[in-house]
Amino acid sequence: MDFQLTEEHLAVRNAARNFAQTDLLPGVIDRDTHQKFPSEQIKKMAELGFMGMMVDPKYNGGGMDTISYVLAMEEISKVDASASVCMSVNNSLVCWGLERFGSEEQKERYLKPLAQYGIGAFCLSEPEAGSDATSQRTTAEDKGDFYILNGTKNWITNGNSANVYIVIAQTDASKRHKGINAFILERGMPGFVVGKKEDKMGIRGSDTHSLMFTDVKIPKANRIGEEGFGFNFAMSTLNGGRIGIASQALGIAAGAYELALKYSKERKAFGKNLSDHQAIQFKLAEMATKIDAARLLVHQAAWLKDQKKDFVKAAAMAKLYASQIAQEVTTEAVQIHGGYGYVKEYHVERMMRDAKITQIYEGTTEIQKMVISRELLR
Ligand code: CAA
């Protein structure tokens, strides 16, 4: 067993840390307040290779392993969880899914630009189908050489900033999940409209929209995999996505902890630093222990995926635990900051709001427990 990161891993982590501190930190409060998508910053992330990290270099990717990816995700999420969810969706849900299951033609046309520049969106959730993902209401009618898509998707990350959208839809409801397909849509296809932007509690710099489809004509060549493979495609893709969101939750927690640690050494109360009070020391000890435990789960899941071993349970456990401790650690970070922690000028206030979504998207806490218990009982 080896807990040592390689030189390459350390270099990726340093590059992500430097980028986050230099390019993301300065405007993060303003982007959160005004719900501004970090367009310039995402462009720079793409130049640095963070948008297609695990994609084979022959498709313009970085050819890196999942450990490198989670290290970069943690550093970027420490500073700006809105930027990191854009990165996570593009890497884990869109690029990975296309590389693993797409046709050669789809990889040439869509994966190459997505791995180099971004930005893709993954469209599964609907107004009436969130956790119960088989209950897709969006329909894709088979017309021979093409499909006709109708329906609405909700809470879509990168909804207005993506160029390419992977959309899940029902072709034959009588076949339940075996009647579901996944399609590649391009922005601007006739009948495809980007709907309302969500006014969210957290990750407010991230671009979350509903999408509407009215008689959108999709060539058959844009279906991913065989007829009826769409649900299995979505589930397989989400397994890896959950490692990305687990590393995001870990990063939010670690970022809040680092700020709380620093603040506790600077702020004085009752004649000594906060960090000299046992009440604060014990909080810091608990926060650091939870973060280390979450990091071990995240790295275990990433390692299993890199070893091509079954990582479904490990990914769900990592997401379940990291998202839970992100809640706890950010709440304690606010508590250590006292009144300052409750105002927007201090980053921990945003981090506490950002942490909540990690228990909801890419499978709620309850869904992770379903996945884990099914794997245990199988
Ligand atoms: N990995 C691979 N395949 C899986 C799987 C997994 N984790 N879970 C289920 N499947 C497969 C099953 O093997 C089965 O396939 P076969 O018939 O070929 O064997 C098929 O999927 C159907 O499985 P179930 O009968 O178990 O399906 P179910 O209706 O009971 O539901 C569920 C399964 C796990 C609850 C699933 O609906 C689920 O994961 N729901 C959560 C959806 C989700 O994560 N949404 C997130 C939205 S995307 C997002 O948030 C992105 C973003 O923008 C940030």
Side-chain angles (χ1 to χ4, degrees):
M1 186 175 279
D2 187 1
F3 286 96
Q4 193 73 35
L5 294 173
T6 65
E7 288 298 317
E8 289 79 18
H9 291 146
L10 292 172
V12 169
R13 191 174 70 181
N14 281 342
R17 189 173 289 170
N18 289 340
F19 166 75
Q21 292 299 322
T22 311
D23 291 82
L24 290 174
L25 187 59
V28 67
I29 291 176
D30 181 60
R31 291 194 297 278
D32 171 75
T33 305
H34 301 292
Q35 298 192 79
K36 279 192 223 154
F37 181 71
S39 305
E40 287 309 308
Q41 291 76 5
I42 298 291
K43 225 180 263 172
K44 179 104 188 260
M45 278 165 75
E47 283 163 21
L48 291 168
F50 291 129
M51 295 304 276
M53 291 184 73
M54 296 170 287
V55 174
D56 191 316
K58 77 176 176 194
Y59 301 117
N60 297 342
M64 287 180 238
D65 59 11
T66 316
I67 298 282
S68 301
Y69 169 56
V70 298
L71 290 169
M73 274 294 298
E74 180 181 341
E75 292 305 320
I76 287 168
S77 305
K78 276 184 188 173
V79 176
D80 187 348
S82 294
S84 73
V85 70
C86 175
M87 171 177 163
S88 180
V89 167
N90 200 66
N91 277 277
S92 297
L93 297 185
V94 180
C95 288
W96 188 85
L98 282 175
E99 185 168 19
R100 174 78 180 78
F101 299 111
S103 67
E104 210 45 49
E105 186 193 335
Q106 290 168 351
K107 290 179 197 178
E108 282 296 319
R109 182 156 179 191
Y110 297 111
L111 178 59
K112 277 186 164 181
L114 283 167
Q116 192 167 3
Y117 308 110
I119 298 175
F122 182 83
C123 315
L124 174 67
S125 302
E126 299 188 350
E128 290 171 84
S131 291
D132 183 10
T134 41
S135 295
Q136 294 287 304
R137 299 280 202 282
T138 298
T139 56
E141 213 183 321
D142 190 344
K143 296 283 192 187
D145 289 345
F146 57 91
Y147 290 87
I148 293 292
L149 191 77
N150 280 289
T152 302
K153 294 286 173 183
N154 258 25
W155 311 292
I156 302 303
T157 303
N158 304 334
N160 195 34
S161 46
N163 309 305
V164 175
Y165 299 75
I166 295 183
V167 180
I168 314 297
Q170 182 68 259
T171 299
D172 184 349
S174 69
K175 293 188 183 156
R176 212 176 152 261
H177 70 277
K178 296 285 186 203
I180 291 176
N181 282 302
F183 301 98
I184 306 168
L185 267 71
E186 293 174 32
R187 194 185 174 81
M189 278 179 156
F192 173 11
V193 173
V194 175
K196 109 170 149 71
K197 181 179 171 104
E198 300 295 349
D199 187 2
K200 306 189 297 292
M201 172 199 283
I203 55 160
R204 288 170 59 79
S206 144
D207 178 33
T208 312
H209 285 256
S210 56
L211 305 175
M212 273 84 81
F213 309 105
T214 310
D215 293 333
V216 182
K217 187 174 170 181
I218 311 166
K220 226 161 210 175
N222 282 31
R223 188 188 69 212
I224 302 173
E226 294 297 309
E227 172 70 41
F229 180 64
F231 192 74
N232 293 69
F233 166 84
M235 290 299 107
S236 303
T237 305
L238 279 165
N239 289 330
R242 288 164 186 163
I243 301 178
I245 300 306
S247 59
Q248 181 191 40
L250 167 64
I252 297 170
Y257 161 78
E258 286 173 13
L259 291 172
L261 180 70
K262 181 166 180 286
Y263 182 80
S264 75
K265 292 186 200 163
E266 293 163 359
R267 172 78 173 175
K268 291 208 174 349
F270 304 103
K272 51 188 180 180
N273 290 337
L274 286 186
S275 57
D276 293 327
H277 292 275
Q278 196 181 55
I280 302 299
Q281 292 168 355
F282 281 14
K283 281 188 194 299
L284 293 169
E286 282 202 23
M287 291 157 82
T289 305
K290 288 173 180 172
I291 290 166
D292 264 20
R295 191 178 288 113
L296 288 170
L297 284 173
V298 170
H299 287 203
Q300 172 183 250
W303 182 84
L304 286 169
K305 181 164 176 285
D306 285 336
Q307 300 302 311
K308 311 238 178 302
K309 293 180 192 288
D310 187 351
F311 64 92
V312 173
K313 175 165 64 75
M317 283 179 165
K319 183 180 183 289
L320 171 70
Y321 186 71
S323 62
Q324 184 181 311
I325 67 104
Q327 292 291 295
E328 296 163 1
V329 170
T330 54
T331 304
E332 285 293 56
V334 168
Q335 191 69 17
I336 291 172
H337 279 76
Y340 291 111
Y342 201 64
V343 296
K344 290 186 186 292
E345 207 180 321
Y346 283 72
H347 296 281
V348 288
E349 180 271 344
R350 183 186 71 261
M351 291 167 163
M352 186 175 158
R353 286 184 285 108
D354 286 350
K356 183 62 203 171
I357 191 60
T358 64
Q359 291 189 306
I360 298 173
Y361 57 24
E362 299 203 25
T364 60
T365 288
E366 293 70 23
I367 290 292
Q368 304 315 317
K369 290 181 185 174
M370 266 176 77
V371 173
I372 295 163
S373 55
R374 281 180 182 191
E375 291 291 316
L376 295 175
L377 296 166
R378 205 143 54 104

